[in-house]
Amino acid sequence: MSSAATYSDVRARSYLAFWRTPFFRAFLSSPSGFLALILTGILLATALLAPLVLTREDVYQRNVRRRLEAPSADHVLGTDNLGRDILKRTLYATPLTLQLATSAAGMAIVIGFTSGAVTAYLPGRLRKIGVRLIEVMLAFPGILIAIMLVAVFGTSAEGAVLAIGIAFSPSLARVAYTLASGVAGLDYISSARVLGLSSRRIVFRYIIPNIAETLIVVSFNATAAALVAVSSLSFLGLGVQGTQFDWGRLITEGVLRLYQVPLLALAPALAIGITGLALGFMGEALARGLNPVLWTQTASIQSRTWLRRYFSSEYLLLSGSTLLLIVFYFLPWFGPDAADPDRTLITGATILAGSSNLTAIDIGSQGAMLLLRSGAWIALLLGIVSYFFERYRRICAVLGLICGFGAASYFVSLLLADFGNPGTALASAQLGFYFGLIATILLILQVISDKSAETRGGRHAAVAPSEGREAATDASLPQPLLQARGLTVRFDLESGPIVPVNDINLDLAEGEIVGVVGESGSGKSLTALAIAQLVPHPGVLSAQHVRLRGEDITVMPAGELRYFLGSEMAMIFQDPMSSLNPALKIGTQLTEATRVHRRIRGKQLHKMALERMADVHISAAETRLKQYPHEFSGGMRQRAMIAMGLMNSPSLIIADEPTTALDVTIQAQIIDVLREINQEQGTTIMLISHDIGVIIEICSRVLVMYAGRIVEDVKITELMTTDKHPYTEALIAAVPAFDSNRDEPLASIPGRPPDLDNLPAGCAFAPRCPYVFERCHEETPPLLHVDETHRIACFLRTDPPEDATRE
Amino acid sequence: MTSSQLTLHKSNKETLTWLTGRLGPWPRFLLKRAMSLFVVLAMLLVLTFLLIYMVPGDPAVRKAGIDASAEQIEFERKALGLDQPAHVQFIRYVQGVARLDFGTSFITKQPVTEVLQQRFPRTFQLAGTGLLIVMMVSVPLGILIGALTREGRNRRLEVVFMSVTSTSSAMPEFLTATFLAFIFAVTLNWLPVGTTQKSTAIILPAISVSLRPVASLARVVRLETLNVLAQDYIRTARSKRLPAYLIFMRHLLPNVLTAALTIGGLVFAGLLGGTVIVENVFAWPGLGQRVVDAVFNLDYPVIQGIVLYFGMIVVLINTAVDILLALVDPRTLVLSE
Ligand code: SF4
């Protein structure tokens, strides 16, 4: 309740400041939002300021004496073949480029969206033709269409914009068509229409908000694509003409002189790249901002997390070391002496430091350069490792930051050092030494603390749940086919750990059919997967042991386990349509496991497959084996699935809701087949179902699960007669009559199914239990024997309170 | 009268359904494909024919030259057939195309067919190498990343993959080309540019052309891998304890490849578009370079010929992809009904 209050507080407060609105939070919830803001800001500022600050002279005035110059204080990025400043020209081209790109995109959007939306409302046949037309247009490369259209509209900036506007509209038309035909069919639109709302209101109140998110992303992507296309055309000489220039045209000039002044092409190329990124990020972030689902999530995250995420050590490390490397490696290439970049860097450092003593740069400082670069490299490597491998993250982060910092400090010391003075060189060397020392100490400390954390965690995990009680009973019983002790599955989620399978102990005897029943979320299917060692990621399975035929499969080596389970255990799943591979023939799927595990092939294998098909009453097996799953009926598919399970004559079949997806008569068939197999081949079956009716029909014993635990283990024959767990009572009461339609038998159990995130202390069933009393809220009831074969986890049955017995 | 017409109409329709109903799924499928291929080709012909009418200016003037006399222009008009009514011109155009005669270049006076013969092998070489790179890189990469990031594993790898691919799929070919040329030709001096003499000359253009399709296809393949890995039948295969290579080769790969093939046509179209640009960056003497020249000089027959040629390639590739899909995945035949 307190969390709800804070949440509404957050919302109420959040609208006071723009940066606290849910929109903006969601916008910023990933680094791309952050980058989008910064990049777009820079771009817009450039586009607005460049024409004001730069005069025509700045960008057009030729100065042949200073042509093709390398970067210098006068010309930060050097000059072009006519001696004009590259940086100024690149900046000056910004507004024109953006203008062309946005107008081309605008045209494409207007044409595309209207034609797409109109197509969606056309009558049947015309619509089909329209859609086909859009598809055909889409198949052709857009840029080629644009080039052809330029011939029609003429080679000019306007021609290029028109050509691209038309050539790129089909993809937008398709998006609009999909959206419009999807939205128009929605229920709430038709109900709004019935209510008599005007079309305009419907469009603005219902349709636009629903498709806005997609439209925005698509529009930004279209703008990025248009930018690329306009630049491509200009680059090819088919766009901007005359004295005008945009980035594409600048690149044309640059490519010719790539060997002399690479920056001439690289500067506008980078500008296009950055703008493309900014547009992509902006679209992505806006879509996130407009997605209401994210509002609630990000509101609860608060602002601290994303900031911390951005500036976490591994991000800093990665970005910092990359930056250092770029500075150290690539900048010198643009210096006056491209053949000797080191010298350039050192010269630069010396000049920056205000020293003119160039001759004093000696071998010592060359060594320092080497150290400096390797430092940056090591930092980058460690950054990458720390980014991907959580285990080594802290070590790498610490080490890498030190290396990076060391490299940076060398750089600073280089800047400040008077190279003629051996004393300063010594000082830098000492500095490096101390950094190294600190790094080593920190590394050792880190390793020690990690180690101790690991052993602590390890011991904690090894603490076995509920041991002693069961051990005594084990010895007296004959060895069961399957025995699981302390079976637990745990998911460590960001919101905290959940335990959907909690300390399960179960035995299955040879030849038994045991049912497992429970609502969805009770952990019954996951229990089956845990027994089969197939727990899905990121679930973690732990158990004292799971013995099948006396072999503990939790400690078996992988290769052996594969063979052992492959021949001893088979699984049958709920939906036979999706559980069979649609692209493979039934025969292949039936036989592949036998081929692998038992190395039977050829005629013998084929004969086996035919026999198994006969076992499950599939006639004309010979042709059936050659067919694909989509040629089978639902019931037949499930029987084929069972036949597949039988191929290796397993001793245990785990059937997870095998009848749920089928209709009632087919259900009965499947149940019969399972019963026959059990009787004729003696196969043990574990049948999982949410439907206690099915279980009563076929099983000899039932395990009732609730919130990840077994709450009752009882023979079917006793189910109707003895005192039961309150949950089992509710389950049975919810079945209207055993032979009537049982599609939704569980709908009427009062109360809400357990929420694994938020289980109450004590008995998990307490919130819904009609008999609940004080103790139920304090302790978790253990699963205890009430007689030889009957176990219950309920205080009411195992340790009844005084007033309850009186009742 | 009307009723008999109606029955006739109806019986016609019935005959048609009867006929198609009689055919097996394969002939029916091929018939449909052939019909749509025909329609699209016809559209292509009409569009390229109309090009001449849409382009501003008089082609006859263009061909005769700016300072030609009225007689010369009239002569050229006759020679081009422009004095004929539109439908006659169109028929002549189609006949010409059928004879693989696309006319003569206004500028170089070279037959367009010859231009195509000369230039196309270069374009094919580039696009083919590009396609090879796309297939060899994006499919394994997409599957690998998909397998590593399944069920939300390796979140960080996913972030890196997504940002790298989204950056590179938004990267125009001529930028890639410029950067690559700068790094490998200018800075490192490993590979040549601006020549077709050396066998290594194709490396940089081919990479530039394929980077974008590689990125977008790798994304699709990864998504499809995730999709397939989350399917129930993969769980079934795992419950059968099949060895990893079998799960991969038999259950995962065919399904992923089918999905990759579905967008194969689009990928190829993108590749072809990229070729046009990259040829101009690296002075690669293919059709792309020629078409830009032609547009610049309003050399109609060459534009027409090249656009038609590219168009036909795209259409044929798409049809081939459809047929291939039907071969690989038997469900497509049924679904295309
Ligand atoms: S332990 Fe208490 S709350 Fe739980 S089922 Fe028994 S009586 Fe109900």
Side-chain angles (χ1 to χ4, degrees):
Chain A
M1 95 214 138
S2 66
S3 70
T6 40
Y7 173 59
S8 57
D9 282 356
V10 168
R11 275 186 78 116
R13 248 186 295 122
S14 63
Y15 289 103
L16 296 177
F18 174 67
W19 59 90
R20 291 230 188 106
T21 54
F23 165 79
F24 200 66
R25 260 177 216 283
F27 184 97
L28 276 184
S29 63
S30 127
S32 63
F34 204 65
L35 283 174
L37 273 192
I38 293 178
L39 293 180
T40 317
I42 294 176
L43 270 175
L44 286 182
T46 315
L48 290 176
L49 293 179
L52 299 178
V53 175
L54 298 172
T55 57
R56 282 185 66 85
E57 237 151 72
D58 278 336
V59 292
Y60 285 112
Q61 186 70 61
R62 301 174 181 196
N63 184 354
V64 193
R65 262 181 301 136
R66 303 200 60 177
R67 59 197 291 266
L68 299 176
E69 263 182 25
S72 64
D74 290 354
H75 301 288
V76 181
L77 296 181
T79 58
D80 70 359
N81 53 322
L82 295 174
R84 296 172 297 198
D85 188 283
I86 294 175
L87 178 66
K88 283 180 185 162
R89 277 173 74 82
T90 308
L91 293 180
Y92 194 78
T94 312
L96 179 65
T97 313
L98 292 185
Q99 201 185 329
L100 293 179
T102 43
S103 35
M107 255 191 75
I109 289 169
V110 170
I111 298 176
F113 283 176
T114 32
S115 58
V118 166
T119 312
Y121 289 102
L122 286 176
R125 185 144 265 241
L126 271 177
R127 188 169 70 188
K128 251 188 171 170
I129 295 175
V131 174
R132 186 91 187 97
L133 210 67
I134 294 175
E135 271 172 15
V136 169
M137 299 263 291
L138 265 177
F140 292 100
I143 191 75
L144 198 67
I145 300 183
I147 289 176
M148 192 186 88
L149 288 175
V150 164
V152 175
F153 297 122
T155 45
S156 64
E158 296 76 34
V161 166
L162 277 173
I164 289 160
I166 294 173
F168 281 61
S169 59
S171 68
L172 296 161
R174 191 179 52 179
V175 173
Y177 170 79
T178 323
L179 284 177
S181 50
V183 169
L186 287 179
D187 285 345
Y188 59 90
I189 303 286
S190 33
S191 59
R193 234 179 230 138
V194 171
L195 285 175
L197 290 180
S198 75
S199 299
R200 225 191 70 217
R201 270 189 74 99
I202 291 176
V203 167
F204 282 100
R205 287 290 305 261
Y206 296 96
I207 298 185
I208 300 266
N210 271 292
I211 59 178
E213 188 190 325
T214 321
L215 289 190
I216 284 181
V217 179
V218 167
S219 305
F220 273 91
N221 287 345
T223 315
L227 170 77
V228 168
V230 170
S231 310
S232 302
L233 286 186
S234 285
F235 170 78
L236 295 177
L238 300 177
V240 174
Q241 304 289 327
T243 55
Q244 272 191 318
F245 57 91
D246 65 349
W247 288 334
R249 207 152 170 231
L250 285 178
I251 294 177
T252 321
E253 291 170 17
V255 166
L256 296 175
R257 297 178 180 79
L258 201 58
Y259 281 95
Q260 294 142 307
V261 264
L263 275 176
L264 189 53
L266 289 183
L270 265 177
I272 294 179
I274 289 171
T275 313
L277 272 187
L279 286 167
F281 284 155
M282 201 66 188
E284 201 181 297
L286 276 178
R288 248 198 330 269
L290 288 171
N291 185 348
V293 178
L294 285 177
W295 290 358
T296 46
Q297 283 174 17
T298 44
S300 59
I301 287 175
Q302 310 274 327
S303 53
R304 59 185 161 77
T305 10
W306 64 259
L307 262 178
R308 193 177 298 166
R309 253 205 332 238
Y310 288 173
F311 299 110
S312 61
S313 49
E314 65 267 25
Y315 277 106
L316 266 183
L317 194 53
L318 269 179
S319 46
S321 48
T322 318
L323 207 74
L324 278 174
L325 269 181
I326 290 175
V327 169
F328 294 151
Y329 264 82
F330 289 107
L331 226 52
W333 286 104
F334 305 117
D337 192 356
D340 189 358
D342 291 353
R343 190 153 290 270
T344 309
L345 193 58
I346 295 167
T347 314
T350 323
I351 292 169
L352 273 175
S355 160
S356 55
N357 190 1
L358 289 179
T359 44
I361 302 166
D362 57 357
I363 299 153
S365 50
Q366 295 276 357
M369 290 302 300
L370 197 72
L371 266 171
L372 187 148
R373 278 193 179 156
S374 43
W377 267 117
I378 295 170
L380 184 65
L381 273 178
L382 290 170
I384 293 169
V385 174
S386 74
Y387 185 81
F388 287 113
F389 300 98
E390 191 128 18
R391 257 185 108 194
Y392 309 112
R393 182 157 305 152
R394 276 181 298 171
I395 302 174
C396 290
V398 170
L399 262 184
L401 280 178
I402 288 163
C403 283
F405 190 50
S409 70
Y410 262 124
F411 188 58
V412 175
S413 63
L414 261 182
L415 288 182
L416 301 177
D418 176 0
F419 289 104
N421 184 348
T424 29
L426 194 68
S428 348
Q430 278 174 341
L431 203 64
F433 173 74
Y434 286 125
F435 271 122
L437 199 67
I438 295 168
T440 323
I441 293 171
L442 277 173
L443 174 67
I444 293 168
L445 282 178
Q446 194 72 50
V447 170
I448 292 171
S449 73
D450 273 11
K451 266 268 155 53
S452 61
E454 229 163 72
T455 42
R456 245 181 290 125
R459 216 179 303 127
H460 182 73
V463 171
S466 62
E467 237 170 301
R469 196 176 63 246
E470 302 285 337
T473 40
D474 282 356
S476 58
L477 289 168
Q479 184 69 303
L481 175 75
L482 177 86
Q483 183 179 63
R485 288 292 175 273
L487 191 70
T488 301
V489 179
R490 194 187 143 94
F491 286 82
D492 286 311
L493 304 178
E494 261 167 58
S495 49
I498 60 166
V499 190
V501 173
N502 197 344
D503 191 13
I504 297 275
N505 299 313
L506 59 82
D507 292 325
L508 301 187
E510 290 257 26
E512 228 185 342
I513 306 186
V514 176
V516 179
V517 75
E519 288 163 298
S520 54
S522 61
K524 55 190 191 308
S525 293
L526 202 55
T527 305
L529 290 174
I531 290 171
Q533 310 284 307
L534 291 174
V535 173
H537 181 86
V540 179
L541 170 71
S542 62
Q544 267 168 276
H545 63 250
V546 177
R547 289 199 190 115
L548 181 63
R549 288 205 175 285
E551 310 262 0
D552 188 349
I553 55 179
T554 55
V555 294
M556 212 179 254
E560 214 175 302
L561 180 76
R562 234 188 52 220
Y563 170 75
F564 183 65
L565 289 188
S567 35
E568 290 291 337
M569 181 192 288
M571 296 193 81
I572 296 164
F573 296 104
Q574 176 168 350
D575 182 357
M577 182 73 228
S578 61
S579 299
L580 289 169
N581 189 336
L584 285 181
K585 289 180 179 147
I586 294 284
T588 316
Q589 304 194 48
L590 213 64
T591 52
E592 59 182 348
T594 313
R595 203 188 295 262
V596 170
H597 297 307
R598 295 170 62 185
R599 305 198 178 284
I600 299 174
R601 44 199 78 209
K603 280 228 175 67
Q604 198 189 347
L605 183 61
H606 186 67
K607 210 178 118 234
M608 271 180 74
L610 291 179
E611 280 168 20
R612 296 297 159 254
M613 295 284 269
D615 285 347
V616 296
H617 310 298
I618 294 182
S619 52
E622 192 77 50
T623 39
R624 286 296 180 186
L625 284 179
K626 290 198 195 85
Q627 288 180 325
Y628 289 93
H630 70 260
E631 296 169 270
F632 276 45
S633 71
M636 206 186 289
R637 262 182 232 132
Q638 191 60 294
R639 280 184 281 151
M641 190 81 190
I642 297 174
M644 192 165 88
L646 290 175
M647 281 298 287
N648 286 341
S649 318
S651 46
L652 172 65
I653 290 182
I654 299 179
D656 187 0
E657 306 263 7
T659 59
T660 306
L662 308 168
D663 68 55
V664 183
T665 43
I666 312 286
Q667 280 188 11
Q669 279 178 18
I670 300 293
I671 298 280
D672 286 343
V673 167
L674 285 175
R675 188 183 287 129
E676 268 175 45
I677 288 162
N678 171 258
Q679 281 164 2
E680 286 164 18
Q681 310 186 8
T683 315
T684 308
I685 297 175
M686 181 171 169
L687 176 71
I688 294 156
S689 180
H690 67 273
D691 181 350
I692 200 166
V694 168
I695 283 173
I696 288 171
E697 215 174 300
I698 173 175
C699 299
S700 52
R701 194 154 62 93
V702 61
L703 303 170
V704 183
M705 286 194 68
Y706 191 81
R709 289 175 191 270
I710 296 181
V711 295
E712 181 153 32
D713 170 5
V714 61
K715 282 190 168 160
I716 296 291
T717 47
E718 287 174 30
L719 195 58
M720 291 302 146
T721 54
T722 55
D723 281 343
K724 294 174 290 286
H725 190 279
Y727 178 62
T728 317
E729 279 177 12
L731 276 180
I732 291 174
V735 183
F738 286 152
D739 47 2
S740 76
N741 187 359
R742 42 178 121 83
D743 274 346
E744 291 165 75
L746 293 183
S748 50
I749 296 184
R752 289 206 302 170
D755 174 12
L756 286 178
D757 281 337
N758 210 352
L759 284 181
C763 176
F765 189 56
R768 300 164 80 183
C769 180
Y771 312 106
V772 59
F773 53 100
E774 220 162 284
R775 193 175 170 194
C776 308
H777 295 301
E778 287 153 11
E779 296 170 54
T780 308
L783 184 64
L784 296 177
H785 282 273
V786 289
D787 64 47
E788 187 78 359
T789 54
H790 192 176
R791 295 185 296 166
I792 298 187
C794 168
F795 293 125
L796 187 73
R797 305 296 179 217
T798 56
D799 190 7
E802 256 118 73
D803 48 342
T805 33
R806 241 183 289 132
E807 209 180 314
Chain B
M1 176 70 197
T2 39
S3 77
S4 77
Q5 246 179 2
L6 218 101
T7 47
L8 186 75
H9 179 72
K10 204 174 147 202
S11 71
N12 254 344
K13 216 172 176 180
E14 265 168 13
T15 329
L16 203 76
T17 35
W18 177 82
L19 195 72
T20 47
R22 269 309 154 98
L23 292 171
W26 264 107
R28 202 158 52 197
F29 171 78
L30 289 179
L31 194 72
K32 275 196 165 167
R33 280 291 133 241
M35 261 154 65
S36 78
L37 178 69
F38 179 77
V39 170
V40 175
L41 282 182
M43 269 165 55
L44 205 60
L45 276 175
V46 173
L47 275 178
T48 45
F49 171 71
L50 287 179
L51 192 66
I52 289 225
Y53 286 92
M54 295 190 292
V55 173
D58 188 342
V61 178
R62 193 87 221 154
K63 191 178 178 190
I66 304 165
D67 38 43
S69 65
E71 291 87 61
Q72 270 174 314
I73 291 174
E74 205 45 46
F75 176 76
E76 290 297 349
R77 193 182 306 280
K78 277 234 169 66
L80 288 170
L82 291 174
D83 52 341
Q84 304 285 331
H87 66 273
V88 177
Q89 284 185 41
F90 182 64
I91 291 170
R92 283 196 184 172
Y93 175 66
V94 175
Q95 281 171 342
V97 171
R99 274 183 277 116
L100 290 179
D101 171 12
F102 301 97
T104 335
S105 162
F106 288 174
I107 311 295
T108 59
K109 312 292 177 204
Q110 190 187 19
V112 177
T113 320
E114 217 177 280
V115 174
L116 292 175
Q117 273 168 3
Q118 256 174 26
R119 298 282 184 141
F120 181 67
R122 285 292 178 199
T123 301
F124 181 76
Q125 196 184 6
L126 187 53
T129 318
L131 192 63
L132 207 69
I133 296 178
V134 171
M135 287 301 163
M136 305 275 279
V137 177
S138 60
V139 172
L141 183 71
I143 291 181
L144 183 73
I145 303 285
L148 287 176
T149 57
R150 66 184 192 276
E151 296 163 326
R153 286 165 220 239
N154 292 315
R155 272 275 146 72
R156 277 152 191 269
L157 183 64
E158 185 183 332
V159 171
V160 169
F161 175 78
M162 291 310 271
S163 28
V164 168
T165 48
S166 67
T167 314
S168 34
S169 64
M171 187 97 137
E173 283 83 5
F174 67 95
L175 281 195
T176 320
T178 313
F179 285 133
L180 285 180
F182 170 64
I183 293 174
F184 292 102
V186 178
T187 310
L188 300 172
N189 205 4
W190 285 353
L191 293 166
V193 288
T195 166
T196 48
Q197 302 307 315
K198 299 196 188 119
S199 58
T200 48
I202 197 167
I203 297 179
L204 288 182
I207 294 178
S208 321
V209 123
S210 51
L211 185 69
R212 208 134 71 113
V214 162
S216 47
L217 191 62
R219 280 176 91 134
V220 172
V221 168
R222 170 177 168 267
L223 272 186
E224 198 47 42
T225 307
L226 289 184
N227 179 18
V228 171
L229 284 177
Q231 293 289 320
D232 288 348
Y233 59 78
I234 294 290
R235 187 181 58 184
T236 309
R238 294 215 303 144
S239 82
K240 288 198 276 188
R241 316 284 157 182
L242 297 180
Y245 75 88
L246 255 187
I247 295 187
F248 177 81
M249 292 298 287
R250 190 178 283 165
H251 292 272
L252 176 69
L253 196 61
N255 289 296
V256 169
L257 282 186
T258 317
L261 203 58
T262 319
I263 64 154
L266 278 182
V267 169
F268 185 77
L271 202 64
L272 225 48
T275 317
V276 175
I277 308 285
V278 168
E279 279 179 9
N280 285 282
V281 181
F282 289 100
W284 190 260
L287 287 176
Q289 217 192 11
R290 191 69 183 80
V291 77
V292 172
D293 283 350
V295 169
F296 206 74
N297 297 315
L298 286 182
D299 193 351
Y300 310 104
V302 177
I303 304 177
Q304 249 178 359
I306 294 181
V307 167
L308 194 64
Y309 214 70
F310 271 128
M312 286 198 294
I313 293 171
V314 168
V315 173
L316 288 178
I317 291 277
N318 273 309
T319 312
V321 163
D322 277 353
I323 293 174
L324 217 60
L325 258 183
L327 278 174
V328 178
D329 187 353
R331 279 169 304 165
T332 332
L333 274 187
V334 188
L335 287 178
S336 69
E337 292 292 304

